[in-house]
Amino acid sequence: MTYRVCFVCTGNICRSPMAESVFRARVEEAGLDDRVEVDSAGTGGWHEGDPADPRTVSVLEEHGYDGGHTARQFQSSWFARLDLVIALDTGHLKALRRLAPSPEDAAKVRLLRSYDPEAGDDLDVPDPYYGGRDGFEECLDMVEAASTGLLSAVREQVEGHAA
């Protein structure tokens, strides 16, 4: 059985491709890449077909992650094949839950930072698009911090234990 995770932000050129790249690396390091599929999408289609923002690519590559990416828009029909849909902020969470065809599908949507025990009450990953490079570095830090807890949760599901 393949466990499928999709990260979702607004345009799929900054936060979600960053989360996809980092989490895919964690999955590979854990030896789960034959059982866990990782991808990403945007709530909107403005950037469909575009590569990730150059600042996203440079931050990822400077930290040893893959920067290759092509943006796409999340489709409601994908819920049927996905096990977990990870929203990067509460706006995405609400949009995805509204898009879900059933309550079971809506329950698949979670906030990324909910997997970071140090995150506190603010579970949004801020959109770095309109800011400087430091916002992309901050985004990467948040994604990396949450990826450990997310990997543990996914590992439990893949290995057949209750989450």
Side-chain angles (χ1 to χ4, degrees):
M1 172 189 115
T2 300
Y3 192 88
R4 292 174 175 88
V5 180
C6 184
F7 294 92
V8 182
C9 69
T10 305
N12 193 217
I13 60 168
C14 298
R15 293 172 284 179
S16 59
M18 192 174 282
E20 174 188 358
S21 183
V22 169
F23 193 64
R24 182 176 291 120
R26 295 295 179 272
V27 165
E28 289 171 3
E29 290 163 7
L32 297 173
D33 49 318
D34 60 334
R35 297 190 292 175
V36 178
E37 185 178 289
V38 182
D39 61 17
S40 66
T43 57
W46 311 279
H47 298 287
E48 251 183 322
D50 293 344
D53 184 288
R55 297 165 294 179
T56 298
V57 174
S58 68
V59 167
L60 282 170
E61 291 178 349
E62 286 171 18
H63 288 87
Y65 299 106
D66 180 15
H69 174 75
T70 302
R72 61 196 187 134
Q73 183 175 2
F74 189 88
Q75 302 298 316
S76 178
S77 62
W78 297 358
F79 276 105
R81 67 173 175 80
L82 293 170
D83 297 290
L84 194 55
V85 180
I86 302 294
L88 277 289
D89 71 26
T90 53
H92 307 131
L93 178 83
K94 291 174 185 172
L96 289 162
R97 286 188 173 161
R98 280 192 305 271
L99 192 61
S102 71
E104 294 78 21
D105 289 322
K108 295 176 182 181
V109 184
R110 307 275 174 78
L111 281 168
L112 175 63
R113 292 194 72 210
S114 68
Y115 293 95
D116 178 2
E118 304 296 316
D121 292 334
D122 183 7
L123 299 181
D124 287 353
V125 176
D127 187 352
Y129 186 76
Y130 294 104
R133 183 180 165 84
D134 57 334
F136 288 82
E137 291 282 353
E138 179 186 22
C139 180
L140 180 64
D141 291 344
M142 291 178 177
V143 165
E144 287 179 329
S147 290
T148 301
L150 177 57
L151 181 62
S152 294
V154 168
R155 183 192 305 271
E156 286 180 23
Q157 291 298 314
V158 168
E159 294 176 352
H161 302 109

